[in-house]
Amino acid sequence: MTVYSSQGWTELESMNDAELSEVDGAGLGIVLEAFKFSHGTDVPDASGDQARIFKIGGITSTDGRDVDITVNHLYISGSGSNYGRNLGPVNLGRLINPYRIDVVDGNTIGVADKAVLEFAAPAMVNPAQGFDCISASAVLGSGSCSSRPATTDYIGERPDVGLQMNVAVGDDRSANINIHAVSAVIDESYLRLWGDNDRRQMVGQFKLNFYSPELSIHACDQSGESCGSRVLLKDFALELAIGNELQPVFFDVDGAGNFVVEVAAIQQPATGEIGADGLRGSSAPATWDFYEDYYTNPNYRSNLRIGNFSVSDRDFGSMRVEGMLIQHLEIRTRDLAP
């Protein structure tokens, strides 16, 4: 790979929210072609030298022992990687539908008078022009996902993704967790961030679509060869919505230094605004329309569908959770050290 660079000087000036809200540029599109990523293991190399490792430390168990998390293997590969053993290239994004980093006019997405920073995966398309989101052999016109599966002639835009990690509690390093997703698709996922003037906090919306014909979770030894029972999720589809224009998600740090994520409760109607029979005719029309939109808008709801769920040789069949609405959520970290 050849990298060219040039030197120049420019001056950056700050912009207020009103100025940023007028920005309507196309943003930055990102496409990675023939991409392959693999983080190695902490096993010594052929010469006996310790390899570079990725560790997460500073955690203490409830009984006072140090907790050390070592990522032994993290990979993004082309389809058919055999759980990360045979890594190959994959395209991430398409020139006509890339990953995007953009500053969006909030008025166009229901966030009034705000400039919104958006990180977005490729968008969904008309089903006549797209592919089924789950099938690894999907053909054109079978669904609304833009990312194409691999074929004999094309590497596709659906990566195999995997993580193998060891969780050590004190001297006990027996816990090895492996997670693998085959031919994964995240089309129409996004993270949107902006500032709230009243609460003086960072605010956002998070949408994660995750589709895979096979998602597996199991415990193995560090070599990955000797494994326990495998949790296998076939035809996995997660459509998770956290935060929306009516209930954004707030990010904060409390006085004790703990991280707080909150989706505030939806406002309650005033007495008499909703009739006793719940019908529009006996209610304040604007208030009734507000709650009707809130409870019926599919973009506010989350779905989970699993075509087949099995643990080792036990088959539990299909699973489905649809239309889940987060009306209030608060996640707060705690210091568990004694």
Side-chain angles (χ1 to χ4, degrees):
M1 179 178 67
T2 303
V3 178
Y4 298 94
S5 65
S6 61
Q7 191 174 24
W9 290 265
T10 186
E11 182 180 359
L12 299 179
E13 295 186 4
S14 62
M15 301 174 67
N16 59 37
D17 279 341
E19 293 170 325
L20 284 171
S21 67
E22 299 298 323
V23 175
D24 59 0
L28 176 67
I30 299 174
V31 176
L32 301 177
E33 295 185 336
F35 179 82
K36 178 174 65 175
F37 173 83
S38 177
H39 163 77
T41 77
D42 64 346
V43 177
D45 60 23
S47 62
D49 295 327
Q50 191 77 8
R52 295 179 180 178
I53 57 177
F54 173 27
K55 286 189 175 182
I56 302 172
I59 305 173
T60 306
S61 67
T62 54
D63 58 2
R65 291 181 293 172
D66 290 334
V67 177
D68 180 86
I69 301 174
T70 300
V71 177
N72 294 317
H73 194 196
L74 173 63
Y75 67 88
I76 301 174
S77 168
S79 184
S81 67
N82 190 22
Y83 304 112
R85 293 184 179 90
N86 306 315
L87 301 180
V90 65
N91 292 341
L92 298 181
R94 302 171 61 179
L95 292 177
I96 61 172
N97 202 345
Y99 287 80
R100 307 184 313 279
I101 302 176
D102 199 358
V103 177
V104 180
D105 181 353
N107 292 315
T108 64
I109 56 174
V111 183
D113 302 325
K114 289 290 183 180
V116 178
L117 178 62
E118 180 180 68
F119 303 88
M124 294 287 191
V125 298
N126 187 298
Q129 301 172 329
F131 298 79
D132 180 85
C133 296
I134 294 179
S135 173
S137 58
V139 297
L140 181 65
S142 59
S144 57
C145 276
S146 169
S147 298
R148 296 169 289 185
T151 66
T152 55
D153 302 317
Y154 180 64
I155 61 177
E157 295 108 26
R158 302 185 177 191
D160 286 1
V161 182
L163 171 67
Q164 299 176 7
M165 62 182 179
N166 174 263
V167 181
V169 181
D171 296 327
D172 182 3
R173 302 195 65 94
S174 61
N176 293 280
I177 307 298
N178 301 331
I179 304 173
H180 302 277
V182 173
S183 192
V185 179
I186 61 169
D187 288 5
E188 202 70 20
S189 299
Y190 58 76
L191 172 63
R192 295 169 176 167
L193 300 172
W194 66 95
D196 181 85
N197 293 336
D198 296 330
R199 294 181 53 156
R200 297 183 149 319
Q201 292 176 232
M202 185 170 69
V203 191
Q205 296 175 5
F206 177 59
K207 178 69 176 292
L208 173 62
N209 292 333
F210 189 89
Y211 308 97
S212 172
E214 180 185 305
L215 177 66
S216 65
I217 306 170
H218 59 123
C220 296
D221 63 16
Q222 201 158 344
S223 69
E225 299 299 326
S226 178
C227 300
S229 297
R230 181 191 297 267
V231 177
L232 188 61
L233 311 175
K234 290 280 193 178
D235 295 337
F236 180 87
L238 173 65
E239 297 160 344
L240 177 65
I242 300 180
N244 54 66
E245 56 263 37
L246 301 179
Q247 291 176 284
V249 54
F250 292 89
F251 304 94
D252 197 12
V253 176
D254 66 15
N258 295 307
F259 189 58
V260 181
V261 177
E262 179 187 6
V263 176
I266 195 72
Q267 67 186 53
Q268 298 295 312
T271 302
E273 286 191 314
I274 299 296
D277 57 7
L279 300 179
R280 191 176 190 272
S282 61
S283 308
T287 302
W288 193 94
D289 291 343
F290 172 86
Y291 288 103
E292 174 70 7
D293 176 67
Y294 172 69
Y295 284 108
T296 60
N297 193 327
N299 293 326
Y300 300 167
R301 296 182 177 268
S302 300
N303 305 297
L304 173 63
R305 296 182 294 272
I306 302 172
N308 186 265
F309 174 74
S310 63
V311 180
S312 187
D313 59 351
R314 294 194 172 189
D315 193 328
F316 297 94
S318 63
M319 301 180 64
R320 186 180 297 247
V321 178
E322 292 188 329
M324 183 174 65
L325 178 64
I326 297 177
Q327 294 189 305
H328 178 253
L329 174 69
E330 181 177 314
I331 300 174
R332 186 184 298 266
T333 62
R334 299 289 186 185
D335 185 0
L336 297 181

